[in-house]
Amino acid sequence: MDINKNVESPFELKISFNKLLQHYEELAENTNANCTARAKHVLKIANAFPELKEGFSDATILKKREKEISEILQDSFSPILTKNEIKTATIPFHNLIFNASERFKDIIKTAGEDFELEIKNMPKDDTYIVACAIILDFYYGYNLNFKRPFYYEIPDANGITRYYKILYNADFTEIKPKENAPKITQKDYDELLDNFENIALWKEKFPPNSYTFKGFIISNIFDVTDDQSISNVKSSLIADDKRKDVNFMGGFQEIFRSLFGINDIKVGFSLYNKEDGVFQRVYGAGLKSYLLGNYEKEKCTDALCKWSYNRLLNENKYFSVSDVDKMFKKAKGRAPHITSLHEQGIKSAVFAPIANDDGLMGILEIVSNKPQTLNSINANKLVDVMPYIVTAVERSKNDEENLIEAIIQKECTSIHPSVHWRFASEARDFIKAELKGEQATFKKIAFENIYPLYGQIDIKGSSNARNEATKEDLTMQLKAVKNIFLKASKIETLPIYEQYIYQINDYLKELGHDFKVDSERQISDFFNQEIDSVLKHLFSIEELKELIESYFDSIDDKVNALYSHRKGYDDSIALINKEMASLLDKKQEEAQAMYPHYFERFKTDGVEHNMYIGESITKEKNFNPIYLYNLRLWQLQVMCELENAYYQMKPSLPISLDVASMILVFNQPLSISFRMDEKQFDVDGTYNARYEIVKKRVDKAYIKGTTERITQKGKISIVYSHKQDENEYLRYVKFLQSKNYLDTDVEIVELEDLQAVTGLKAIRVSVLYHKNEEDKSFYTYGDLMKTIKA
């Protein structure tokens, strides 16, 4: 069998002992009689079989000349060291081994019949190019530092992966070009230096089988399991997002099994929360804490005994439990960590503190299901890996703190992604100033010449609806208490009962005719300060127990009042806001994809939103008014969709409410700046403040000369002040009429003057509705209400 078969390489491989035999030819002339005799013996064998010197590619010759080859290599494979050294004779890029030390043979035998020996960190695609690099180095003399450490991964008798580093001795090799080999010039070399991955180029310069490799390689192999395990620990912990990988913990445990040489090992972690004085579970795929067992977190003093607490938290030193069952009997329940291990079936364990100069950060837990497998002696192996674990935990804590800050920023401030670049730029300047020792200040964040857009979908009559709900609840509660006192006065005639009944009737009369701002507070005080204590006293009367019990059952614990109609109102408001905000956020993603802009929304009694668009926000120099017009049309269309979404959900609400939508058009660009104290953007300048005044008051404004509000249920109001805005939005309305978003009843009205603001007008037009997503019919508000009620 030809060893070159099915192997693509620039080499034609020939096994030869020529260069080794040349050394023996020199030794044959040695004055040392023993050396001379040994050399002549080897040369005699070689002369009898010329192929051993000339070289051969037929692998069957290795078997035929096995005895002779062994004799020739005897000095290189000393019989005295054969049980200690791990050594082989082979050829490059081939798993063919034709001579080996006894220890290597034992290692392979232990690995099992199915084991296939291969170099783990040599990509098969790179072997051709590496062979070419060898030619450049050995034949042409270019000093290429291409050598890398290569490894074998071989399981031992316990199935533990052991790592073996390979060092090659190429003293007995010869490399020569064949006639068809292109000569490599300096220009070729320069080109190859920048094209390591260009396999086609390398094959052009070094065609397959264009060079002869003659000789053999001696591989000196060393067990580096401990060093490699430490390196693997480091690599595993350095990689990002490893905790999310479901395979991470399994691989991590395999590393520790190799480090300890023990197959029965599991690894766990627990974090130390100094503020709360607790150990808590680390969240991630497959991560477990053997100290905590089934608990999510536990006080350190409850998880450890006094000695182990002091050892880990104060001294920051590891400790082992070599026999958990024995220690469990001895401790008699006084060592919580021993009890936890015993309940989990663990027989031996090591607890190592993950600590830096600031103190404890967490616990590394290594456990085994066999007694004495882990002990104070092999626990010393952790000394070399703990620095990497400490560094990883420090980084993890920093990452978590950064993530927390990011979440707080995202959820609790108004720093929108569209303007994040500006904040990041200022933050970088802030850091640079600090590093230079300068006075670091966070400069004002402002954006000039940007166009505002404002819209709201507001719940109509929300104050009246809440007042009605409050009146209903208070009336029910007053009547329930009145009923108790009426019955109590029949059982026990006391004037005070009559006085309470009189007071209740007075409150009921007030609720029916004149509900004032402080009525709710007065009646609540009446219940809390006077009635509750009396009812608790009356509870001792058997005939009143059921009535009083029923009354207190109707009282909500959180608000300490009857909370039925008000709950319906609050739930309705919450559902409306959630649905409207969710839909607006979803639609906003589409708008951002069209052109980036600033966006913020607020939940009040309904949902309102601000948008700002302009070149200073986008960072890029590509803003065009077409993007403003597009966003205005998008906003009007989305307001129609929000109206539809609301009236489709209205029948399922606890309380029936209506909404009205409004858009405010501001014709001139303005400037906004970020207020650090309130963590939000505000408009800059006196003229720009006019925009804010209109925003706050316009939805409550009346049509000029009437008592009719500008916003109306079933309609969208578009407020503006310039004729060109009117023309622009009339075009949008006409377009949306063609798409059956809006009705044909367009009206233009003037608004009453607001404080310091005059000349406002509004386009009002009815929205067309669908009963549901599948419904293709169109309804006015009136038609829709009839359909819903029917």
Side-chain angles (χ1 to χ4, degrees):
M1 183 186 77
D2 193 327
I3 59 175
N4 294 294
K5 190 176 182 181
N6 300 323
V7 176
E8 188 178 38
S9 169
F11 291 134
E12 179 189 3
L13 297 170
K14 285 189 176 184
I15 300 169
S16 168
F17 303 96
N18 179 51
K19 290 201 73 172
L20 177 63
L21 293 171
Q22 288 176 3
H23 285 284
Y24 279 111
E25 286 171 357
E26 293 175 10
L27 289 173
E29 303 298 326
N30 201 301
T31 55
N32 185 302
N34 289 332
C35 285
T36 300
R38 172 64 186 154
K40 288 180 178 180
H41 173 69
V42 171
L43 291 170
K44 183 180 178 181
I45 295 170
N47 290 334
F49 304 99
E51 67 269 26
L52 298 180
K53 186 171 185 177
E54 293 168 5
F56 57 90
S57 299
D58 185 355
T60 60
I61 295 175
L62 290 171
K63 188 65 177 175
K64 289 178 184 178
R65 302 289 171 249
E66 183 177 7
K67 182 180 177 183
E68 290 78 14
I69 291 172
S70 180
E71 281 287 324
I72 292 172
L73 295 176
Q74 187 176 11
D75 292 334
S76 300
F77 289 79
S78 170
I80 295 173
L81 299 175
T82 191
K83 292 185 181 294
N84 182 273
E85 290 184 334
I86 311 172
K87 205 171 192 179
T88 66
T90 183
I91 50 176
F93 316 120
H94 224 293
N95 288 330
L96 180 64
I97 292 172
F98 51 82
N99 204 70
S101 66
E102 289 300 320
R103 186 176 174 194
F104 180 82
K105 291 176 183 177
D106 289 341
I107 289 170
I108 298 301
K109 183 179 178 181
T110 302
E113 294 180 3
D114 297 334
F115 176 73
E116 293 184 12
L117 187 69
E118 63 177 337
I119 299 170
K120 288 293 181 182
N121 57 332
M122 168 62 86
K124 291 181 179 179
D125 294 341
D126 290 349
T127 55
Y128 195 102
I129 296 173
V130 171
C132 298
I134 290 171
I135 296 169
L136 286 171
D137 194 333
F138 281 78
Y139 183 76
Y140 288 99
Y142 290 109
N143 188 19
L144 286 168
N145 186 16
F146 64 88
K147 295 178 182 178
R148 295 172 51 212
F150 295 121
Y151 296 89
Y152 290 134
E153 292 180 14
I154 307 174
D156 65 11
N158 295 317
I160 301 296
T161 300
R162 301 199 69 80
Y163 300 90
Y164 297 90
K165 186 177 182 179
I166 310 163
L167 296 180
Y168 295 111
N169 182 340
D171 290 345
F172 310 116
T173 63
E174 303 171 76
I175 298 174
K176 292 181 181 179
K178 293 183 179 181
E179 290 183 3
N180 68 327
K183 184 177 174 61
I184 302 299
T185 64
Q186 182 67 40
K187 184 180 178 182
D188 294 325
Y189 173 72
D190 294 341
E191 185 179 4
L192 290 167
L193 283 178
D194 293 322
N195 287 280
F196 178 80
E197 295 179 352
N198 188 344
I199 186 68
L201 180 64
W202 287 90
K203 286 183 177 180
E204 177 191 326
K205 308 297 183 185
F206 301 92
N209 301 316
S210 58
Y211 287 78
T212 300
F213 178 95
K214 186 177 173 183
F216 71 99
I217 292 171
I218 292 177
S219 300
N220 294 287
I221 304 166
F222 303 91
D223 188 337
V224 291
T225 302
D226 285 359
D227 292 340
Q228 188 61 33
S229 296
I230 293 168
S231 177
N232 289 345
V233 167
K234 183 179 178 181
S235 299
S236 296
L237 295 173
I238 285 174
D240 289 331
D241 292 331
K242 277 289 186 178
R243 284 194 318 192
K244 298 176 185 176
D245 187 350
V246 295
N247 298 316
F248 166 67
M249 205 58 208
F252 200 64
Q253 289 179 157
E254 284 299 324
I255 294 169
F256 273 88
R257 286 166 185 168
S258 294
L259 178 64
F260 279 83
I262 302 168
N263 195 33
D264 176 42
I265 273 183
K266 294 177 185 176
V267 179
F269 296 93
S270 51
L271 288 179
Y272 173 55
N273 183 329
K274 187 177 181 180
E275 291 181 2
D276 299 333
V278 299
F279 291 124
Q280 57 192 44
R281 190 179 298 280
V282 180
Y283 292 100
L287 294 173
K288 187 172 181 179
S289 171
Y290 298 97
L291 178 63
L292 295 174
N294 294 324
Y295 292 106
E296 292 292 316
K297 61 181 179 179
E298 191 173 15
K299 285 187 176 180
C300 301
T301 50
D302 294 338
L304 299 168
C305 66
K306 287 184 179 179
W307 182 89
S308 58
Y309 179 95
N310 183 64
R311 182 80 172 173
L312 292 173
L313 276 76
N314 298 329
E315 296 180 14
N316 291 152
K317 293 180 179 179
Y318 72 83
F319 69 88
S320 64
V321 184
S322 62
D323 193 329
V324 172
D325 290 346
K326 183 178 177 182
M327 186 61 72
F328 178 72
K329 292 177 183 177
K330 185 177 179 181
K332 296 180 179 178
R334 294 190 298 270
H337 59 295
I338 301 295
T339 302
S340 178
L341 294 176
H342 179 76
E343 289 174 350
Q344 296 173 73
I346 293 165
K347 304 301 181 184
S348 59
V350 173
F351 293 107
I354 304 170
N356 58 12
D357 293 338
D358 296 327
L360 187 70
M361 295 182 290
I363 306 293
L364 170 66
E365 311 155 0
I366 304 174
V367 301
S368 170
N369 290 327
K370 295 178 182 177
Q372 300 184 338
T373 296
L374 295 166
N375 51 67
S376 63
I377 298 172
N378 58 17
N380 282 283
K381 285 182 172 287
L382 293 174
V383 171
D384 296 318
V385 299
M386 288 309 294
Y388 303 118
I389 294 174
V390 168
T391 301
V393 172
E394 285 175 333
R395 190 187 66 168
S396 179
K397 284 174 72 71
N398 290 335
D399 289 348
E400 185 176 38
E401 288 170 6
N402 291 338
L403 180 60
I404 289 169
E405 288 302 315
I407 291 171
I408 291 172
Q409 175 176 300
K410 180 182 177 182
E411 299 297 329
C412 306
T413 72
S414 302
I415 301 175
H416 189 262
S418 62
V419 295
H420 182 269
W421 65 272
R422 184 64 183 278
F423 286 86
S425 176
E426 291 300 333
R428 289 190 191 98
D429 291 342
F430 186 93
I431 293 168
K432 286 178 188 175
E434 281 195 329
L435 292 173
K436 290 179 181 178
E438 300 172 357
Q439 182 67 36
T441 56
F442 203 91
K443 295 177 185 176
K444 180 180 178 181
I445 305 289
F447 298 96
E448 298 179 349
N449 294 317
I450 58 173
Y451 293 89
L453 295 91
Y454 173 78
Q456 69 174 37
I457 180 164
D458 189 45
I459 297 169
K460 292 291 289 180
S462 57
S463 296
N464 290 336
R466 191 190 184 282
N467 287 343
E468 285 302 315
T470 302
K471 285 166 63 176
E472 290 283 348
D473 281 345
L474 293 176
T475 299
M476 286 175 62
Q477 191 171 353
L478 286 166
K479 287 181 176 179
V481 172
K482 178 182 175 181
N483 191 33
I484 293 170
F485 283 123
L486 286 170
K487 193 165 185 178
S489 63
K490 292 178 181 178
I491 298 169
E492 188 178 18
T493 306
L494 293 177
I496 191 66
Y497 296 157
E498 291 183 34
Q499 194 274 323
Y500 283 139
I501 293 169
Y502 170 79
Q503 182 67 59
I504 290 168
N505 285 333
D506 201 38
Y507 281 136
L508 287 170
K509 184 179 179 182
E510 183 180 318
L511 288 175
H513 296 92
D514 186 21
F515 185 75
K516 298 176 182 176
V517 176
D518 64 342
S519 296
E520 182 179 359
R521 182 190 58 78
Q522 287 180 358
I523 297 172
S524 294
D525 288 346
F526 172 64
F527 285 126
N528 297 332
Q529 296 172 14
E530 298 185 49
I531 300 302
D532 284 0
S533 59
V534 177
L535 294 182
K536 287 172 184 176
H537 166 70
L538 292 175
F539 191 73
S540 60
I541 300 174
E542 191 64 35
E543 295 94 322
L544 298 177
K545 270 188 179 181
E546 188 176 340
L547 270 179
I548 295 172
E549 202 168 63
S550 176
Y551 168 78
F552 280 116
D553 285 344
S554 69
I555 302 301
D556 186 274
D557 293 335
K558 291 181 181 178
V559 297
N560 197 28
L562 196 148
Y563 184 60
S564 176
H565 293 84
R566 278 173 290 185
K567 186 177 187 305
Y569 169 82
D570 291 342
D571 287 349
S572 296
I573 296 293
L575 285 168
I576 294 168
N577 285 348
K578 181 181 178 182
E579 183 70 20
M580 297 299 100
S582 175
L583 179 57
L584 187 58
D585 288 346
K586 187 176 179 181
K587 293 291 181 182
Q588 172 56 200
E589 292 176 9
E590 300 171 7
Q592 289 292 342
M594 297 177 198
Y595 192 84
H597 57 278
Y598 181 83
F599 170 81
E600 63 182 355
R601 61 156 175 77
F602 308 96
K603 294 178 184 177
T604 52
D605 284 352
V607 176
E608 57 185 281
H609 63 272
N610 289 318
M611 293 185 290
Y612 299 103
I613 188 169
E615 192 169 282
S616 62
I617 284 179
T618 59
K619 191 180 180 182
E620 306 297 332
K621 303 288 184 180
N622 64 348
F623 177 74
N624 186 285
I626 190 69
Y627 296 117
L628 169 64
Y629 305 146
N630 180 72
L631 194 60
R632 285 175 171 174
L633 175 58
W634 171 88
Q635 182 189 35
L636 181 56
Q637 182 171 316
V638 167
M639 293 302 290
C640 294
E641 292 177 13
L642 288 172
E643 282 266 348
N644 261 279
Y646 170 70
Y647 283 107
Q648 284 170 20
M649 71 178 290
K650 180 178 177 179
S652 64
L653 294 174
I655 288 183
S656 180
L657 297 166
D658 282 304
V659 296
S661 297
M662 184 201 74
I663 289 172
L664 174 62
V665 183
F666 198 72
N667 187 270
Q668 298 298 316
L670 46 73
S671 299
I672 60 171
S673 62
F674 190 77
R675 289 185 58 179
M676 294 294 181
D677 53 347
E678 295 185 5
K679 297 291 185 292
Q680 67 179 31
F681 279 100
D682 277 339
V683 296
D684 276 344
T686 306
Y687 175 75
N688 294 336
R690 178 174 178 265
Y691 173 70
E692 289 294 336
I693 292 171
V694 175
K695 248 173 43 174
K696 290 175 182 176
R697 301 183 180 183
V698 70
D699 66 317
K700 301 292 190 293
Y702 294 102
I703 294 175
K704 201 166 191 177
T706 73
T707 56
E708 182 185 344
R709 286 274 173 87
I710 188 63
T711 56
Q712 232 179 49
K713 60 190 177 184
K715 293 189 176 186
I716 287 181
S717 301
I718 305 164
V719 179
Y720 61 93
S721 58
H722 289 77
K723 184 67 177 178
Q724 64 191 72
D725 297 329
E726 179 182 302
N727 293 334
E728 179 186 342
Y729 273 88
L730 285 174
R731 291 197 303 271
Y732 300 155
V733 168
K734 191 173 182 180
F735 170 69
L736 292 178
Q737 285 171 337
S738 72
K739 296 184 70 176
N740 293 312
Y741 277 86
L742 296 171
D743 205 351
T744 56
D745 59 339
V746 179
E747 59 178 331
I748 296 174
V749 297
E750 287 187 50
L751 274 67
E752 66 176 5
D753 293 343
L754 301 175
Q755 182 182 352
V757 181
T758 59
L760 291 177
K761 289 186 176 183
I763 299 170
R764 290 202 308 187
V765 59
S766 295
V767 179
L768 291 178
Y769 299 96
H770 308 280
K771 285 189 290 183
N772 52 56
E773 292 295 332
E774 291 75 31
D775 185 21
K776 300 302 178 185
S777 300
F778 305 103
Y779 303 85
T780 64
Y781 175 80
D783 293 335
L784 184 70
M785 290 302 104
K786 290 176 185 176
T787 307
I788 290 173
K789 289 173 182 176

